[in-house]
């Protein structure tokens, strides 16, 4: 997928995310839009039928739902994903920090059973402050789970403000992951870097910091904390649709 194709595809899934969220009482556009290119790359270009995806940062669910529906699934359209394996959802998210340890268990189970495929999990930088994230780094590194890929959507804003004002976490987390035995990489989360970095094989669990922009694609949302959970309507809605057209 070229850069232009990814840009147009990501605009389309953001438009569709607005439509289905408004129809189902949803919001949380900032965190959904920051991970759009990550999810498009995973679902369109990277994951095969033996792979599994877990959305730990539950607020990013609207783009996720769009992609699941495109694949023929019919997920329950709520503000956070709930466990529905028949609809492609393999972990309940919303209580922050739980998707990563769930992915650890699923990756270990696959290895013990000799099942093929990788487990991909997307976490947020706000939830990375949770103790379960750090414990999972220890366990994943100790077990050497080379079938596990963790992607951190590092958009620098969490529910109540800027991450660095509340609890700086990304750089310490990168250092901890490296020291725990992970292969640590850093990419631009809004282009094809994710595809490129995953072509480089590793015999370690992989921890990717994807630098992104909260609210990416809509000018008045970008890097503005309130769009973590602000309802979209009126002139804002018209402008968002125009910018994503």
């Amino acid at each position: 997928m070229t850069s232009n194709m990814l840009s147009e595809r990501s605009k389309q899934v953001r438009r569709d995310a607005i439509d289905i969220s408004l129809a189902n009482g949803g919001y949380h556009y900032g965190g959904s839009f920051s991970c759009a290119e990550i999810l498009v790359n995973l679902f369109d270009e990277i994951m095969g039928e033996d792979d599994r995806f877990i959305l730990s940062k539950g607020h990013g669910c609207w783009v996720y739902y769009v992609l699941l529906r495109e694949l023929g699934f019919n997920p329950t359209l709520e503000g956070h994903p709930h466990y529905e394996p028949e609809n492609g959802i393999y972990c309940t998210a919303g209580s922050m920090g739980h998707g990563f340890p769930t992915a650890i268990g699923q990756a270990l189970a696959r290895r013990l059973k000799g099942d093929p495929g990788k487990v991909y999990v997307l976490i947020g930088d706000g939830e990375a402050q949770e103790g379960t994230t750090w414990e999972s780094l220890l366990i994943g590194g100790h077990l050497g789970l080379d079938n596990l890929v963790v992607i951190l959507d590092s958009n620098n804003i969490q529910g109540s403000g800027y991450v660095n004002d509340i609890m700086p976490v990304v750089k310490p987390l990168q250092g901890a992951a490296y020291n725990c035995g992970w292969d640590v990489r850093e990419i631009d989360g809004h282009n094809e870097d994710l595809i490129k970095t995953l072509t480089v094989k590793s015999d370690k669990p992989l921890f990717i910091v994807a630098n992104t922009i909260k609210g990416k694609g809509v000018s008045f949302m970008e890097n503005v904390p309130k769009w973590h959970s602000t309802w979209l309507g009126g002139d804002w809605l018209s402008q968002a649709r125009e910018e994503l057209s």
Side-chain angles (χ1 to χ4, degrees):
M1 185 181 296
T2 66
S3 296
N4 286 339
M5 292 171 62
L6 178 61
S7 176
E8 291 304 311
R9 173 77 166 119
S10 300
K11 283 184 179 180
Q12 173 248 308
V13 298
R14 288 184 175 101
R15 291 194 304 269
D16 292 347
I18 288 174
D19 291 340
I20 65 169
S21 64
L22 290 176
N24 292 276
Y27 42 100
H28 288 127
Y29 298 105
S32 291
F33 288 178
S34 67
C35 65
E37 285 85 2
I38 296 171
L39 293 178
V40 166
N41 280 324
L42 282 172
F43 277 76
D44 288 6
E45 302 290 336
I46 294 169
M47 293 193 301
E49 61 180 17
D50 292 324
D51 297 322
R52 175 169 291 184
F53 174 74
I54 290 174
L55 180 71
S56 186
K57 48 164 285 179
H59 294 144
C61 62
W62 295 106
V63 168
Y64 180 37
Y65 292 152
V66 168
L67 295 171
L68 287 174
R69 283 157 61 109
E70 288 181 353
L71 291 171
F73 295 115
N74 187 31
T76 303
L77 300 179
E78 299 176 325
H80 303 91
H82 288 77
Y83 181 70
E84 284 186 297
E86 69 277 13
N87 283 310
I89 299 176
Y90 299 98
C91 178
T92 295
S95 297
M96 296 291 96
H98 291 179
F100 190 174
T102 298
I104 291 278
Q106 294 187 13
L108 177 59
R110 283 175 174 242
R111 188 171 73 180
L112 293 173
K113 296 192 296 182
D115 290 345
K118 292 182 178 292
V119 178
Y120 296 86
V121 57
L122 182 64
I123 69 173
D125 42 12
E127 74 169 303
Q129 298 158 353
E130 299 283 349
T132 49
T133 298
W134 297 75
E135 293 166 21
S136 297
L137 284 178
L138 288 166
I139 297 168
H142 174 67
L143 295 174
L145 295 174
D146 60 353
N147 61 344
L148 177 62
V149 178
V150 177
I151 304 167
L152 173 64
D153 178 12
S154 183
N155 62 37
N156 302 306
I157 296 173
Q158 59 192 91
S160 52
Y162 293 99
V163 172
N164 285 340
D165 291 340
I166 297 167
M167 183 67 70
V169 69
V170 176
K171 292 301 181 185
L173 197 65
Q174 285 177 284
Y178 176 81
N179 287 321
C180 288
W182 291 67
D183 184 346
V184 182
R185 304 175 189 177
E186 187 168 359
I187 65 170
D188 182 333
H190 293 307
N191 61 24
E192 307 86 21
D193 280 3
L194 181 60
I195 299 172
K196 295 174 184 176
T197 199
L198 289 174
T199 63
V200 180
K201 303 301 181 183
S202 179
D203 59 358
K204 300 178 180 180
L206 184 57
F207 188 88
I208 300 172
V209 176
N211 293 305
T212 63
I213 298 171
K214 191 102 167 185
K216 173 70 174 177
V218 179
S219 60
F220 59 83
M221 291 185 184
E222 291 188 354
N223 284 321
V224 178
K226 75 176 183 179
W227 286 103
H228 177 82
S229 57
T230 298
W231 180 257
L232 183 63
D235 291 342
W236 280 337
L237 176 57
S238 299
Q239 183 178 341
R241 284 183 164 149
E242 180 179 352
E243 292 185 11
L244 294 172
S245 64

